Amino acid sequence: MANVYKSTLNLPKTAFPMKANLVQREPETRQRWAKMDLYGMIRAAAHPKGRYILHDGPPYANGDIHIGTAVNKILKDIIVKYKTMQGYDAPFVPGYDCHGHPIEHAVRRELAGKAGAMSPVEIRRRCEAYARKFIGHQSEQFQMLGVLGRWDQPYLTMAPAYEQREMETLAHLADQGLIHRELRAIHWCMHCETALAEAELEYADDEGPSLYVLFKVIKQNPDDALGIAQAELYSAPEPVYLMIWTTTPWTLPANMAVAVHPDYEYVALRFSFRNEKRIAIVAKELAETVKQAAGLSDAEELFTIKGEDLAKNVTYEHPFMGPPPGAEARCVCADPTMVALEEGTGLVHSAPGHGREDNLMGLRFGIPTYSPVTAQGRMDESVPDWIQGKTVWEANDIILKHLAESGHLVASGMTAHRYPHCWRCREPVIFRATEQWFVALDKADEGKSLRHRALEAVGGVHWLPAWTESRIRAMIETRPDWCISRQKVWDVPIPALYCKACGQALLTGDMMRAAAKFYGRHGSGAWYEATVEDVFGKAPACPNCDAADWRMETDVFDVWLDSGVSWASACEVEGFEVPVELYIEGSDQHRGWFQSSLIMGVVARGQPPFRTCITHGFVVDEEGRKMSKSLGNTVSVLDEVKRLGADVVRLWTSSVDYTCDIRASDTLISSLQDAYRKIRNTVRFLVGNLADFGAGTDTVKPGGMEEIDRWLLARLQRLVADVTAEMEAFQFHRVYQLVHLFCVNDLSAFYLDVQKDVLYCDATASPRRRSAQTAMAHVAEVLVRLVAPVLVHTAEEAWSHLPAPAEGNATLRSTRREESVHLAAWPQVDAKVLDEDLLAKWEWLQDVRRDAYAVLEAFRRAGKFDKHTETRVALAVADAAELQRLREVGAETLADLLLVSELLLVAPEEAETLEGEKAMGNADDGKRLHSATLLVQEYARCERCWNYRASVGEAEPEDLCARCRQVVAEQT
RNA sequence: GGGCUCAUAGCUCAGUCGGCUAGAGCGCGCCCCUGAUAAGGGCGAGGUCGGUGGUUCGAGUCCACCUGGGCCCA
């Protein structure tokens, strides 16, 4: 039924659509930004608070962005946008990590066999093209998320200027004598034929051989033995063996020693083996386990000997190798770090050429590093001919058989273990001793070691969350020397020289600075086609033999050195002050970028390159498990953006506590749609009710405003204060909760619901309507700015629909409607408006309202009425003071708040005399109301405002209340 | 196996110095409205605070151990 009075109402009107249609609208918004050069405008604007540099950690230029990189960039964008609005100059220069094994590996795979015939320069050219392709993809994808930055000019670690600055920075390492060349057991991928850094390994569950092997002790005259403890060892009539346990038989040829724990007790077991009696030494605590595992059913314990005694001049024969290369004999060594009682026999096979621990032990005991395995993973010519040329995996079986035949194998089987694999080719890796360049962490000829300096620097950084400080500290404390050379081509070549005459390796700071200039001019790939003179001018004389004939290094630097100097190559060259304000990355970067950057900052500038370092968690699936393609639980962020829009993905990002694991799924991200719509619709409703509001002429001064409107403005100040505090603490999920709660509770369910009558039905220019609009205009403007860092597109859209602000409007901070919300200033708290007493009073009124609603709901359920506006209600309040306070507020005001047509406030005894239906509130449950009485409705309904009023029918037209009669009369 | 870390309604989060009958919003269920309408409002049901011990008058909160996840390392 058409209502004749509907046209006389002030119903909401706005072009700001309810339906977001983000998928279509967001790209349009971004096109507008591109056209107006929003990023340039922001840069050109005034920045009263100075510079705020959030330095982008460069993602690897390989593949599409994923949910994790998206979360990372969104967090960065939120911070940059917020700081910009706060008045900082916060440029965002995105970067890409371009060099490194993954790209080279992908390119070589694409080339298949053809790579072998190609020059390094040609392969590098293809690597560069590969990187550029993905830089293009990722840049586009990041921008789809609404991330604003200098996308047309990112920093690239492969740019010659970057490489130049990198080499200049790395020269400090050489200047400080921290670079050295050493034979070290390192992770080696025999498939890719390269050394691998820790970060390039993936551990996977694997199965491998498990065998118990006997090493025969070389008997000495018992009288010559040291100490009584050893006498039994040599006086036994049976042969005595050391029993070791290994899962890598191919390392047995490289065995140089057996380690025991000095404090452990070892026991001699006599058992039957191949028709003879033998004695084997094992740790006492493991004896039972070994007996069972090795099937030594008749083993009897003869005597015990302490580890430290066992390590005194006891030597043994290798089962199939000759004398140890570079040493007189293989002996038992006491080393507590090598031995544990979790598995094995308590005697540990040590091959310094094929294990990190073994390698370190070798250094401690002066045992040579023997590594008879080639780069291709084959046994070299120093081993017996029956395994020469075999791969290590082939050697495993052959050695096992050989040991069994020669009577050195007690037992063998298979065992599950976590084994490291190459992160690119997925092949299992081995430990192999090679000559590599290292950064020394503990070298302290003069002053403090680099490790020490780095640890000191950790204390100067603000780590968020706080526990990350101890994590990175522990990592720096325990990390091994940094292996910085790789046998690859797609990275910065190490500008080292090798003397052809004497083999001396040479790498100095001056050489690196010369190379820096050369790389800057020609790109680092030119190294491969250059002569020594091209790079260094004149060939230096060999410090060892004085010759000047050099071979140029073919290894390149570790890719982590590239990104580790980005603070220099990307920030300093821009003129950004280092340390920069903020690094924020995932928790894996404690071992990666955070650490490499910190170490290089300490080396080259004596301080960390960042003031604050934030760590965020990893994105995991709905159950909290890691995402993997094989599990099929990944979330495609690009699909989510195409499905829901970037702002919903951004809202989701902002809604979670990123310091722990972040759970993600289609469902979880979709669930933010409701919150998004609530915020959008709330803003839309505000805007819709401001269609006729001219801020210049219609604004009501604070003194002339209704109390509820002054409350709203105070509430808004509270919100601004709280949100600002949470933004400062980078607690975006609290911001989300605060804003959402404000929209849901304070605006939608309370203020806006209550004010609809005034907004719709009062005369357009009535003082109390203008008062409400003044408050709402302010709320809309502030709210849009508060959500702008997160809902970058939606806020922009809403911004364009806000009513024009007035010149000198006291309630609006900004008098200029900037062309973009991202150019606007962050709202400031107005302490004069933030009236705590008023807030407390209205919190109480909201509580009263909630209580009354709970009681009234019983009537509605009983079918007594449908709408509150139909009702006349008497509230009986038991507490006299409470009743008095409510009477001071006024029954009429309360009626408006409860949306009822009339309200009576009575004491409980008065309620008894009232006619009508009663419903009891429970006075004991802490609620303020004693009871509510639903009174007989005596008034007629006003056909315009739908309120039941005594004034309806008092005059013509008889179907209107007094207020509406006057409004309608004025309109005609 | 080691270091660090996380665990509170279906979901996302609060819960300060130990005082709690453990809160909120969303979602869900029921109801109302149809003048925010692919909207709006109301009420309600949801929890052994991962588990087990301990300290304490009192533990979601402190301690120990365990379980399950995550990152990093072996």
Side-chain angles (χ1 to χ4, degrees):
Chain A
M1 184 177 74
N3 186 319
V4 291
Y5 295 115
K6 186 164 176 175
S7 62
T8 69
L9 297 171
N10 307 296
L11 293 178
K13 206 173 101 184
T14 177
F16 183 35
M18 173 180 287
K19 192 169 187 310
N21 199 7
L22 291 178
V23 177
Q24 187 201 320
R25 208 163 277 135
E26 285 177 347
E28 294 168 6
T29 305
R30 289 197 297 272
Q31 274 165 24
R32 213 194 108 224
W33 288 339
K35 207 170 165 191
M36 67 193 268
D37 185 22
L38 177 59
Y39 184 77
M41 288 176 78
I42 290 172
R43 293 281 68 74
H47 304 290
K49 290 192 183 167
R51 199 116 69 166
Y52 186 97
I53 302 297
L54 187 169
H55 178 42
D56 187 36
Y60 199 71
N62 191 6
D64 292 325
I65 67 168
H66 55 80
I67 187 82
T69 42
V71 164
N72 174 266
K73 277 288 197 294
I74 290 171
L75 292 174
K76 287 170 178 168
D77 192 53
I78 291 172
I79 294 167
V80 167
K81 290 228 166 71
Y82 167 71
K83 292 294 177 182
T84 298
M85 293 178 81
Q86 274 285 16
Y88 290 95
D89 179 21
F92 184 68
V93 180
Y96 290 96
D97 205 4
C98 309
H99 287 135
H101 188 188
I103 288 174
E104 181 170 347
H105 184 264
V107 165
R108 283 181 189 272
R109 197 170 45 193
E110 277 175 12
L111 289 169
K114 286 181 282 183
M118 293 172 88
S119 71
V121 171
E122 179 57 23
I123 292 172
R124 285 175 56 108
R125 200 167 291 141
R126 284 164 192 261
C127 289
E128 180 177 339
Y130 186 97
R132 286 206 185 275
K133 178 174 135 191
F134 285 104
I135 288 165
H137 289 182
Q138 290 191 18
S139 290
E140 196 179 311
Q141 292 160 0
F142 283 135
Q143 290 179 78
M144 281 170 63
L145 300 171
V147 178
L148 196 65
R150 205 179 70 184
W151 292 105
D152 58 341
Q153 216 189 321
Y155 76 86
L156 305 180
T157 59
M158 64 183 177
Y162 188 101
E163 294 174 332
Q164 173 170 1
R165 184 70 165 196
E166 174 178 354
M167 200 52 57
E168 287 164 5
T169 309
L170 296 182
H172 289 269
L173 285 168
D175 289 340
Q176 292 168 29
L178 296 171
I179 300 183
H180 59 107
R181 197 162 165 77
E182 257 190 46
L183 188 65
R184 285 281 185 95
I186 51 157
H187 285 290
W188 180 270
C189 176
M190 51 201 190
H191 183 257
C192 304
E193 290 185 40
T194 185
L196 293 173
E198 288 73 24
E200 295 170 332
L201 297 173
E202 282 179 0
Y203 286 80
D205 287 313
D206 215 340
E207 207 180 40
S210 150
L211 48 165
Y212 292 88
V213 181
L214 297 176
F215 291 169
K216 191 174 187 180
V217 173
I218 298 169
K219 292 224 174 176
Q220 302 178 22
N221 185 338
D223 300 334
D224 297 340
L226 291 170
I228 304 157
Q230 285 185 350
E232 291 175 286
L233 202 59
Y234 300 120
S235 55
E238 298 89 354
V240 177
Y241 292 84
L242 305 169
M243 193 191 293
I244 61 101
W245 178 74
T246 183
T247 55
T248 51
W250 65 267
T251 64
L252 285 173
N255 173 275
M256 297 292 280
V258 164
V260 295
H261 196 293
D263 301 332
Y264 292 169
E265 197 78 38
Y266 289 82
V267 62
L269 298 177
R270 182 163 61 193
F271 58 98
S272 306
F273 188 79
R274 294 189 160 195
N275 305 323
E276 63 172 16
K277 284 284 183 184
R278 285 190 181 183
I279 294 171
I281 310 289
V282 299
K284 186 167 179 157
E285 266 199 64
L286 287 163
E288 272 312 310
T289 325
V290 170
K291 273 196 245 174
Q292 284 185 14
L296 310 177
S297 50
D298 69 338
E300 50 179 328
E301 299 191 6
L302 291 184
F303 58 90
T304 61
I305 178 167
K306 210 165 175 213
E308 57 183 335
D309 294 322
L310 199 52
K312 284 174 186 157
N313 276 354
V314 174
T315 59
Y316 61 93
E317 291 172 8
H318 193 284
F320 55 82
M321 294 291 290
E328 279 181 23
R330 295 184 176 84
C331 31
V332 178
C333 303
D335 190 327
T337 64
M338 291 286 287
V339 188
L341 294 174
E342 270 85 39
E343 53 187 5
T345 64
L347 292 94
V348 176
H349 148 57
S350 173
H354 294 297
R356 172 166 298 146
E357 302 295 317
D358 309 48
N359 198 200
L360 295 173
M361 173 185 150
L363 292 175
R364 282 194 292 275
F365 286 87
I367 302 167
T369 302
Y370 171 51
S371 185
V373 175
T374 66
Q376 294 81 33
R378 293 181 183 276
M379 307 304 295
D380 70 12
E381 60 287 348
S382 68
V383 299
D385 53 7
W386 47 272
I387 42 172
Q388 271 182 31
K390 305 292 183 192
T391 69
V392 296
W393 311 127
E394 291 165 350
N396 266 352
D397 289 339
I398 299 169
I399 289 170
L400 192 114
K401 280 200 194 83
H402 185 92
L403 290 172
E405 282 162 18
S406 67
H408 291 91
L409 184 68
V410 188
S412 70
M414 297 297 282
T415 185
H417 56 164
R418 301 270 295 164
Y419 199 83
H421 294 248
C422 173
W423 71 340
R424 290 321 302 172
C425 71
R426 312 274 170 183
E427 296 289 329
V429 305
I430 59 172
F431 264 103
R432 178 171 173 267
T434 55
E435 289 262 324
Q436 300 290 345
W437 292 101
F438 285 88
V439 170
L441 271 296
D442 297 306
K443 188 168 176 247
D445 293 346
E446 51 208 70
K448 299 161 177 169
S449 70
L450 177 52
R451 193 189 306 278
H452 188 105
R453 286 192 285 155
L455 286 169
E456 280 184 344
V458 166
V461 176
H462 182 212
W463 301 92
L464 284 174
W467 56 260
T468 57
E469 175 170 354
S470 54
R471 178 176 156 102
I472 196 148
R473 197 177 282 282
M475 284 183 170
I476 293 174
E477 273 166 1
T478 57
R479 69 158 297 156
D481 278 356
W482 186 356
C483 177
I484 56 171
S485 47
R486 296 289 183 276
Q487 291 67 52
K488 304 266 80 172
V489 299
W490 181 229
D491 214 313
V492 179
I494 302 174
L497 298 173
Y498 297 91
C499 178
K500 284 183 181 169
C502 71
Q504 173 74 38
L506 192 65
L507 179 62
T508 65
D510 287 340
M511 287 167 70
M512 292 170 85
R513 278 180 284 273
K517 279 196 191 116
F518 182 79
Y519 291 172
R521 209 171 297 135
H522 308 287
S524 68
W527 169 265
Y528 292 97
E529 294 178 334
T531 64
V532 174
E533 288 73 20
D534 289 341
V535 182
F536 303 108
K538 181 171 170 285
C542 175
N544 189 43
C545 71
D546 219 32
D549 194 11
W550 299 94
R551 175 176 70 79
M552 290 168 76
E553 172 68 282
T554 55
D555 284 4
V556 294
F557 279 116
D558 173 19
V559 68
W560 287 101
L561 286 173
D562 290 5
S563 54
V565 297
S566 61
W567 51 267
S569 286
C571 296
E572 286 181 342
V573 295
E574 298 277 352
F576 300 161
E577 311 78 357
V578 175
V580 301
E581 209 53 53
L582 183 65
Y583 277 34
I584 170 168
E585 304 295 336
S587 57
D588 55 334
Q589 299 305 331
H590 284 138
R591 184 148 300 265
W593 192 52
F594 291 156
Q595 197 177 133
S596 61
S597 299
L598 183 117
I599 289 175
M600 285 314 303
V602 165
V603 168
R605 298 291 181 273
Q607 59 182 353
F610 39 82
R611 291 186 201 284
T612 300
C613 183
I614 300 180
T615 304
H616 62 74
F618 266 60
V619 179
V620 293
D621 77 1
E622 230 165 345
E623 267 82 51
R625 272 163 224 282
K626 77 152 99 184
M627 288 189 174
S628 75
K629 285 176 200 121
S630 56
L631 285 174
N633 60 352
T634 54
V635 172
S636 161
V637 68
L638 297 174
D639 287 351
E640 297 298 328
V641 169
K642 284 174 197 150
R643 190 167 67 90
L644 304 168
D647 276 11
V648 173
V649 174
R650 293 179 66 106
L651 189 62
W652 166 76
T653 304
S654 83
S655 75
V656 297
D657 178 0
Y658 61 76
T659 59
C660 352
D661 300 334
I662 303 158
R663 292 178 185 225
S665 70
D666 281 1
T667 319
L668 287 175
I669 298 176
S670 300
S671 69
L672 266 294
Q673 275 186 115
D674 290 302
Y676 172 83
R677 289 199 197 104
K678 189 71 187 187
I679 295 169
R680 183 184 178 93
N681 273 329
T682 304
V683 172
R684 177 174 182 266
F685 188 67
L686 290 170
V687 171
N689 281 291
L690 295 168
D692 58 278
F693 185 72
T697 48
D698 300 327
T699 297
V700 178
K701 291 201 167 60
M705 291 177 82
E706 298 289 324
E707 185 172 312
I708 189 172
D709 301 322
R710 280 190 281 116
W711 163 77
L712 181 65
L713 290 179
R715 180 67 190 79
L716 182 70
Q717 294 310 307
R718 175 84 270 144
L719 179 73
V720 171
D722 292 347
V723 166
T724 304
E726 300 296 2
M727 288 298 289
E728 287 296 322
F730 306 104
Q731 300 243 54
F732 310 129
H733 66 289
R734 307 292 289 261
V735 172
Y736 160 78
Q737 303 244 348
L738 286 166
V739 168
H740 188 234
L741 221 52
F742 178 71
C743 289
V744 171
N745 283 350
D746 295 297
L747 289 178
S748 199
F750 181 63
Y751 179 86
L752 296 174
D753 210 31
V754 168
Q755 292 290 66
K756 276 177 201 168
D757 179 70
V758 167
L759 291 165
Y760 295 175
C761 306
D762 266 19
T764 306
S766 88
R768 63 175 188 174
R769 185 163 181 276
R770 290 306 190 204
S771 170
Q773 286 179 312
T774 301
M776 288 165 65
H778 197 186
V779 168
E781 219 223 54
V782 169
L783 191 55
V784 168
R785 283 192 268 166
L786 291 182
V787 300
V790 174
L791 302 176
V792 292
H793 303 94
T794 306
E796 188 73 316
E797 192 187 350
W799 189 248
S800 67
H801 289 100
L802 292 177
E807 289 295 325
N809 181 344
T811 63
L812 298 177
R813 190 185 161 269
S814 143
T815 54
R816 191 170 66 86
R817 174 67 14 99
E818 296 83 352
E819 289 166 77
S820 166
V821 68
H822 303 298
L823 287 160
W826 186 255
Q828 302 294 303
V829 178
D830 187 340
K832 291 195 298 294
V833 179
L834 212 178
D835 181 339
E836 296 288 357
D837 293 340
L838 196 61
L839 286 173
K841 177 181 173 186
W842 281 76
E843 195 162 323
W844 163 66
L845 285 173
Q846 280 179 289
D847 287 344
V848 170
R849 185 175 188 258
R850 246 188 304 275
D851 293 348
Y853 270 38
V855 182
L856 285 174
E857 186 64 13
F859 289 119
R860 197 217 304 272
R861 295 261 163 184
K864 303 297 178 191
F865 66 86
D866 290 327
K867 297 198 282 185
H868 279 189
T869 48
E870 297 166 19
T871 62
R872 291 178 66 231
V873 183
L875 291 180
V877 181
D879 184 77
E882 179 84 359
L883 182 59
Q884 182 53 34
R885 277 181 81 193
L886 288 170
R887 281 182 168 146
E888 280 165 20
V889 171
E892 223 169 303
T893 301
L894 285 169
D896 288 345
L897 290 182
L898 298 189
L899 306 179
V900 297
S901 94
E902 190 174 40
L903 185 84
L904 302 180
L905 287 166
V906 296
E909 55 275 17
E910 295 174 83
E912 300 299 320
T913 67
L914 293 170
E915 276 188 48
E917 307 248 9
K918 287 190 175 54
M920 299 300 290
N922 187 344
D924 299 330
D925 70 354
K927 293 189 178 176
R928 297 167 177 82
L929 298 171
H930 182 252
S931 68
T933 304
L934 191 62
L935 304 169
V936 176
Q937 180 57 271
E938 296 165 342
Y939 312 134
R941 189 176 92 141
C942 168
E943 285 308 306
R944 182 170 177 275
C945 69
W946 296 348
N947 288 310
Y948 289 73
R949 290 284 134 87
S951 59
V952 175
E954 281 175 350
E956 286 290 326
E958 292 193 335
D959 55 355
L960 293 184
C961 68
R963 184 254 319 250
C964 289
R965 253 194 309 272
Q966 193 182 345
V967 172
V968 171
E970 281 169 3
Q971 283 181 353
T972 50

